[in-house]
Amino acid sequence: MVIWGIDIQITKSNRKTVSIYVERDGTVAALVPEYLTDEEVIEVIKTKEYQIHKNLAQWTQLNEAKVEREYVSGQSFMYLGRNYRLRLVDEKLGEVKLKNGYFLLSRQEKLKAKELFVEFYKSKLKEKIWPIIERYKGQLGVKPQELKIMELQNRWASCTLKGNVNFHWKCAMAPIDVLNYIVVHELAHIIHPNHSSEFWNTVDKVMANYDSQIKWLRMNGAGMDL
Ligand SMILES: [Zn+2]
């Protein structure tokens, strides 16, 4: 649906409110209640003109500000939705450590810094994500097969037809509520391998207010590269 020259992707689902957001690639998407006619959808979206333009402006700004990280003292890195500053230390650590509110990295290991950070996020995510999967797989009535934490291109998680679920190690940067949503989203794909209204209804059943989690991902996704 094109409104003021902006192509807006509309998804209807069993929800009561309209939510509009900008995808990571800059597309504008809207989740709308299924009982609205196309004319009514246009009416509602038109009342959100200011918000859409504001979101698009923020998206542009974020993508321009996409940071190139340097592994120097003072640089901040995100973990579970909070920023922690990096402190270079003289002792050899063999890993990145989070201690007393600081990420610690050995000066001698600066060249391997990215690799060590990825290891940190992978091992933390493994720890955090298991109990979340356990909780929601029962609620959704699904049986995920294999679970992998890996590097995924431009995606937070993915799910195969066999029910294998993969999570990007970057998910460890997201706040725990957002992580819960990523898990619910992916587990719901075991039932619906698409983004149909049935899919969103399934998500909605176990997590009523997932809109703010989606918003967080849209707004912060771009700044999460290492
Ligand atoms: Zn999905």
Side-chain angles (χ1 to χ4, degrees):
M1 194 176 276
V2 180
I3 302 173
W4 327 286
I6 301 170
D7 193 1
I8 302 178
Q9 281 182 14
I10 312 285
T11 307
K12 291 189 175 179
S13 78
N14 173 22
R15 61 200 329 280
K16 292 188 183 65
T17 55
V18 172
S19 166
I20 298 176
Y21 50 86
V22 180
E23 304 256 19
R24 280 187 81 183
D25 63 0
T27 351
V28 180
L31 294 171
V32 301
E34 57 196 353
Y35 57 78
L36 292 186
T37 64
D38 284 355
E39 287 72 34
E40 286 168 330
V41 168
I42 293 174
E43 281 312 302
V44 182
I45 287 178
K46 282 190 171 164
T47 66
K48 309 242 180 193
E49 180 172 8
Y50 172 73
Q51 192 207 328
I52 294 174
H53 283 106
K54 198 174 99 182
N55 288 355
L56 273 172
Q58 278 172 331
W59 181 88
T60 310
Q61 208 182 16
L62 270 170
N63 280 274
E64 278 167 359
K66 221 173 155 180
V67 277
E68 264 300 314
R69 288 195 198 277
E70 274 187 276
Y71 299 94
V72 292
S73 285
Q75 177 69 258
S76 64
F77 292 84
M78 207 182 254
Y79 172 55
L80 294 180
R82 283 190 55 194
N83 276 305
Y84 297 93
R85 290 192 184 280
L86 180 64
R87 191 175 266 173
L88 293 178
V89 296
D90 290 327
E91 57 187 303
K92 194 164 193 289
L93 301 170
E95 59 179 342
V96 161
K97 277 186 180 169
L98 184 59
K99 206 175 165 187
N100 301 328
Y102 285 92
F103 272 118
L104 303 182
L105 171 72
S106 166
R107 241 176 263 282
Q108 316 157 50
E109 292 166 332
K110 252 183 91 168
L111 287 174
K112 299 201 291 182
K114 183 175 173 176
E115 199 184 305
L116 295 175
F117 262 101
V118 171
E119 277 314 308
F120 172 88
Y121 288 123
K122 276 187 178 169
S123 71
K124 290 291 181 189
L125 185 62
K126 215 172 251 176
E127 222 172 83
K128 299 285 171 194
I129 213 164
W130 266 115
I132 303 176
I133 290 175
E134 284 301 312
R135 184 184 342 145
Y136 287 109
K137 77 177 189 190
Q139 289 189 32
L140 287 161
V142 294
K143 285 196 177 72
Q145 301 299 310
E146 236 180 286
L147 168 79
K148 274 196 200 125
I149 292 166
M150 56 201 284
E151 175 116 24
L152 294 165
Q153 280 183 344
N154 279 321
R155 306 176 73 171
W156 294 98
S158 68
C159 173
T160 70
L161 285 172
K162 281 183 181 165
N164 295 343
V165 190
N166 304 317
F167 293 95
H168 198 301
W169 50 262
K170 264 187 213 173
C171 294
M173 296 186 189
I176 207 82
D177 288 347
V178 175
L179 190 54
N180 285 337
Y181 163 71
I182 295 173
V183 169
V184 168
H185 183 117
E186 233 38 56
L187 294 183
H189 274 321
I190 298 177
I191 312 172
H192 308 286
N194 49 45
H195 291 125
S196 61
S197 53
E198 291 79 13
F199 167 83
W200 289 110
N201 291 344
T202 303
V203 172
D204 199 68
K205 254 178 235 160
V206 294
M207 186 172 274
N209 42 14
Y210 55 90
D211 279 8
S212 47
Q213 305 352 321
I214 293 181
K215 270 185 199 136
W216 192 94
L217 288 168
R218 310 286 169 202
M219 296 312 296
N220 294 278
M224 289 168 80
D225 289 323
L226 274 183

